[in-house]
Amino acid sequence: MEKREGIKRVLITSIGGGNYIDDKGEKQLKKYEKTIYEINGKESEVTTYMPKVVEKEFDVDKTIIIGTTGTMWDNVYTVYSDGNIDETYRESLKEIERTSDRDTDIKELNISKLNEEFVNKVRGIVIKYGLNREEIFENFDIIIKLEEEFNDEDEYEVILDITHSFRSTAFWMFLVMTYLTDVSNKKIKIIEVTYGMYEAKKVKTDPSPIILLNSFLEILNWIKGASELKQYGNSYYILNELKDSNDDIPEDIKKELRNFSNAMNMNYVGSLLESLKNLADLETKKEIDNIKGPAKHIIPSILKNFINDFNINESNDERKKYLLQATLAKWHCEQKRYAMAAININEALANFISNSLDFNKKDTNTNALDPNSKAKNWLRELYKLKNVKEEYEIYGKIYNDTIRIRNEIAHSLGNEVKILYDINLLKEFSEKIMGLLKDENIIKKAQKELKLLENISNKKTNKMKTIENNSLSPKSILILSTRALNQSENNELNKKLKLDKIHTLEENDIKKWKNGSEEDIDDLKKVICKYLKEGDYILIHGYFLSMQKIASFAISKGLKAIFLSEKFSSKDEYFKEI
């Protein structure tokens, strides 16, 4: 495998060893046999140290070795020292190996000297035997520190070797692989897994094959991609991260996988209905079953489950839309995607009301950005009413709670105390919503009895009259500024607004405006209410956060907020409405 420019390659391996009792009852060191290995069709030189063969084949920059106190660290030291050997140190390694057992303290082995001598080439990590839960987690703490060998800037390709040491070491390699690829923020990619199969040679003179187990990585990645697709409807990992190995998926299915994931994550119900229809057509034509390779064990069953779970047996397009939204709400809630659940519950109710009262058919909505605005107004009016029948009240309650939750999510207003309460609400609503959308006659009866449309119409008429009266009445303005206006600014203000009266802050209030504390802002709100009425103007100039708070308050009181800006050309104006 050719190494790309700028990439650093790291081999993570383990070394075995151990001792045995000889005929005299004395402990002796085990030794690796001299062996010729074969990798990618090429034979190596004779060696007792198989990782060197992998290093050469993959042009490895650094090797990380995991072992115990009984590992053949003397062999490691000899191989990498290139003849410049500290015999005293090597003998100390041998002695620890020879006498080592499961109770030997890992601190007895001086791995630091080896790491210091080969700092840019080799890193040794000594772990315990892992005989119980406590030792296993101690080992995990030690092994996970190998991440420190990777910096944040460089890009790395890692080869894992599982040839030597305890059989449990292969599991450690699996954990390392999972951590580096799924948890670590380093730029690391596992490119190969190797296993030197010494026992596979037929006769002693045959080379031992080094098996490349990259297919295991591929299968693991397919399982990861399948998990994302099943849990969240996301096919992106399969389509993007596995693009070099997903040729066994027909192009039509790849296209619909992407469409399905995009529609699911954007909550585009129309697109989702279309994608589900296309997937169902592919299933009818048996194309989903034509998927080959590892994907055939994963993709078909997940897609068929989606087709069945979101199959809305309804001919009316409007009904199908809100019934799918209700189904999605329950699914998202089960996947702990509570924001999406709130959106779908809320919109399903609005679509149901529109369909029940024929708002869409009569084309009575004038809001192009929100075709369900009339239905939402109807639900708001329902929520405001007291002492209504429970079968009507539930619609207004669910709509009000979900719109509140949506707003708190959108504006990051929610707090820790309310989170669990709102989550429990959404769980309750997602279970109820489908049942509430079954009978449109309930909504027709509610409208007939409560006359909510008439109430909305009367309020709208009264509001228009108020606006008309306000437009004819004299207008005042309050200057909320950290400085006085100059003559040019005063002239433009009078010319533009035709004001009846201009109010300015007293000296003490100007200090409060400049200070901008919460208490000061509250006092200034009282000043605003003292001087201004609905339809009047307020000019805001000062610090951004204070301006933002006052502007929000002013707009909530029906005032027209404008701000003072600098003039950079003759075409600019000093004052602009917010």
Side-chain angles (χ1 to χ4, degrees):
M1 185 184 296
E2 187 175 347
K3 183 178 177 182
R4 292 183 290 122
E5 186 177 352
I7 298 295
K8 291 187 176 181
R9 281 190 176 166
V10 176
L11 170 64
I12 302 177
T13 185
S14 57
I15 300 297
N19 48 45
Y20 67 95
I21 305 297
D22 63 14
D23 296 337
K24 298 179 182 179
E26 296 178 353
K27 285 185 178 181
Q28 300 296 333
L29 291 177
K30 290 181 180 179
K31 294 181 180 180
Y32 283 141
E33 297 286 339
K34 290 184 177 180
T35 308
I36 295 174
Y37 289 96
E38 182 181 52
I39 183 169
N40 284 329
K42 294 174 282 188
E43 291 188 5
S44 72
E45 297 177 353
V46 177
T47 183
T48 60
Y49 185 72
M50 174 266 187
K52 269 290 184 181
V53 180
V54 178
E55 289 176 2
K56 182 178 180 182
E57 177 63 22
F58 289 96
D59 191 11
V60 168
D61 297 294
K62 189 167 188 175
T63 298
I64 298 172
I65 304 166
I66 300 171
T68 66
T69 52
T71 288
M72 297 179 183
W73 292 109
D74 66 303
N75 192 21
V76 172
Y77 177 70
T78 302
V79 167
Y80 288 103
S81 63
D82 295 328
N84 186 20
I85 298 172
D86 181 336
E87 288 293 347
T88 302
Y89 178 59
R90 184 166 68 172
E91 288 303 316
S92 71
L93 292 175
K94 281 185 177 182
E95 183 59 22
I96 290 292
E97 295 162 33
R98 189 180 66 79
T99 59
S100 174
D101 60 26
R102 66 185 191 180
D103 296 321
T104 303
D105 190 336
I106 60 177
K107 293 179 181 178
E108 290 185 27
L109 193 143
N110 181 13
I111 198 67
S112 298
K113 178 174 172 56
L114 184 147
N115 289 336
E116 288 167 6
E117 283 198 27
F118 311 129
V119 63
N120 295 317
K121 189 186 299 184
V122 178
R123 169 71 188 275
I125 297 175
V126 184
I127 62 174
K128 295 186 175 182
Y129 279 52
L131 299 175
N132 52 50
R133 189 175 188 274
E134 183 181 356
E135 285 195 357
I136 287 171
F137 277 97
E138 284 184 48
N139 285 346
F140 181 72
D141 290 340
I142 295 169
I143 291 174
I144 219 64
K145 291 179 182 177
L146 65 79
E147 185 187 23
E148 297 171 1
E149 297 299 313
F150 305 88
N151 63 47
D152 294 327
E153 291 76 32
D154 290 319
E155 189 175 346
Y156 296 89
E157 291 180 343
V158 171
I159 301 97
L160 298 177
D161 175 55
I162 60 172
T163 303
H164 297 300
S165 195
F166 299 131
R167 287 180 173 84
S168 61
T169 307
F171 285 97
W172 283 117
M173 291 300 180
F174 176 82
L175 290 176
V176 167
M177 175 174 64
T178 304
Y179 180 85
L180 292 180
T181 55
D182 294 349
V183 181
S184 173
N185 292 320
K186 312 289 186 177
K187 301 171 187 175
I188 299 171
K189 181 180 180 181
I190 311 294
I191 61 168
E192 192 58 86
V193 179
T194 60
Y195 175 65
M197 198 174 286
Y198 177 82
E199 64 274 15
K201 56 185 181 180
K202 294 181 179 180
V203 296
K204 191 172 183 179
T205 55
D206 285 345
S208 298
I210 295 178
I211 311 300
L212 304 181
L213 302 174
N214 189 50
S215 299
F216 286 177
L217 292 175
E218 187 179 337
I219 292 169
L220 185 66
N221 285 331
W222 274 108
I223 293 171
K224 180 179 176 181
S227 176
E228 289 194 8
L229 180 60
K230 181 179 179 180
Q231 284 191 307
Y232 309 114
N234 286 342
S235 61
Y236 307 122
Y237 191 87
I238 290 172
L239 296 175
N240 298 334
E241 300 301 319
L242 297 174
K243 60 186 176 183
D244 295 332
S245 58
N246 64 24
D247 291 339
D248 293 326
I249 303 177
E251 287 300 322
D252 286 348
I253 296 178
K254 285 184 188 178
K255 178 182 176 182
E256 285 312 319
L257 277 171
R258 190 175 297 279
N259 290 341
F260 176 81
S261 296
N262 288 341
M264 184 72 82
N265 284 294
M266 291 296 290
N267 205 47
Y268 283 8
V269 176
S271 298
L272 187 56
L273 282 168
E274 182 66 22
S275 183
L276 288 166
K277 177 181 177 297
N278 293 339
L279 286 172
D281 289 343
L282 291 170
E283 163 63 5
T284 301
K285 297 173 184 176
K286 303 295 182 184
E287 290 193 33
I288 289 179
D289 291 323
N290 288 334
I291 295 175
K292 309 295 183 186
K296 73 180 179 182
H297 303 291
I298 296 169
I299 306 300
S301 61
I302 296 174
L303 290 183
K304 289 175 184 179
N305 285 338
F306 277 132
I307 292 168
N308 291 330
D309 290 345
F310 298 123
N311 179 31
I312 308 299
N313 190 18
E314 172 60 56
S315 58
N316 181 287
D317 287 342
E318 290 300 321
R319 281 183 57 79
K320 183 178 286 189
K321 182 178 179 181
Y322 62 70
L323 290 175
L324 176 61
Q325 287 173 318
T327 305
L328 282 170
K330 190 171 188 300
W331 185 82
H332 282 305
C333 204
E334 289 171 349
Q335 305 304 322
K336 309 294 188 291
R337 301 173 78 180
Y338 299 116
M340 297 291 272
I343 291 170
N344 280 286
I345 292 169
N346 193 264
E347 292 299 325
L349 276 176
N351 279 314
F352 175 63
I353 300 302
S354 286
N355 201 55
S356 300
L357 299 178
D358 295 333
F359 289 161
N360 292 333
K361 292 180 182 177
K362 293 177 180 177
D363 196 25
T364 55
N365 277 300
T366 56
N367 190 338
L369 294 177
D370 186 2
N372 285 327
S373 59
K374 193 168 184 179
K376 293 175 181 179
N377 287 335
W378 191 92
L379 285 162
R380 290 189 191 99
E381 288 298 314
L382 175 61
Y383 175 73
K384 292 175 185 176
L385 292 180
K386 306 297 182 184
N387 302 319
V388 297
K389 293 179 182 177
E390 188 176 342
E391 65 174 336
Y392 304 154
E393 182 185 36
I394 187 66
Y395 292 93
K397 173 177 171 47
I398 291 180
Y399 176 78
N400 182 73
D401 278 328
T402 51
I403 199 68
R404 173 185 60 77
I405 292 170
R406 283 183 68 173
N407 287 338
E408 291 191 351
I409 292 169
H411 301 290
S412 303
L413 300 174
N415 57 57
E416 187 176 354
V417 176
K418 293 175 68 176
I419 285 176
L420 290 178
Y421 174 77
D422 287 342
I423 287 174
N424 288 329
L425 274 183
L426 291 172
K427 288 178 179 178
E428 176 190 340
F429 295 162
S430 67
E431 293 292 337
K432 289 181 177 179
I433 185 65
M434 188 63 82
L436 294 173
L437 306 183
K438 288 182 177 179
D439 190 358
E440 295 178 357
N441 288 321
I442 294 176
I443 304 305
K444 296 181 191 299
K445 281 169 53 184
Q447 169 54 32
K448 187 175 181 180
E449 292 177 22
L450 304 175
K451 303 187 184 304
L452 295 174
L453 289 176
E454 289 81 353
N455 293 345
I456 294 170
S457 179
N458 291 336
K459 286 184 178 180
K460 188 174 182 180
T461 301
N462 292 336
K463 184 176 181 181
M464 292 300 294
K465 288 181 179 178
T466 301
I467 292 172
E468 184 178 353
N469 291 335
N470 283 338
S471 66
L472 297 174
S473 63
K475 297 292 184 294
S476 297
I477 190 170
L478 173 63
I479 309 298
L480 200 65
S481 175
T482 54
R483 67 172 176 83
L485 303 185
N486 61 40
Q487 190 60 46
S488 297
E489 291 166 341
N490 274 313
N491 291 341
E492 184 180 318
L493 198 62
N494 281 301
K495 179 180 177 182
K496 188 173 184 179
L497 302 180
K498 295 182 174 58
L499 298 167
D500 176 62
K501 192 163 186 179
I502 298 177
H503 300 283
T504 57
L505 294 177
E506 295 179 1
E507 186 176 345
N508 186 49
D509 290 329
I510 292 175
K511 290 180 180 178
K512 291 180 180 180
W513 179 233
K514 288 181 177 180
N515 185 46
S517 70
E518 290 295 330
E519 185 179 350
D520 291 331
I521 295 296
D522 286 340
D523 288 342
L524 290 169
K525 288 177 181 178
K526 295 174 184 176
V527 173
I528 293 169
C529 292
K530 174 183 175 182
Y531 287 122
L532 303 178
K533 63 183 181 301
E534 185 176 356
D536 280 342
Y537 295 93
I538 180 168
L539 186 148
I540 307 171
H541 174 260
Y543 301 115
F544 176 76
L545 290 177
S546 298
M547 291 173 66
Q548 194 177 43
K549 292 173 184 177
I550 289 295
S552 298
F553 173 76
I555 291 169
S556 72
K557 294 296 182 182
L559 303 175
K560 296 178 181 178
I562 60 177
F563 66 89
L564 174 62
S565 64
E566 300 301 325
K567 257 189 173 184
F568 293 101
S569 75
S570 59
K571 295 181 180 179
D572 288 338
E573 295 179 333
Y574 287 114
F575 307 106
K576 296 179 175 63
E577 287 198 30
I578 294 177

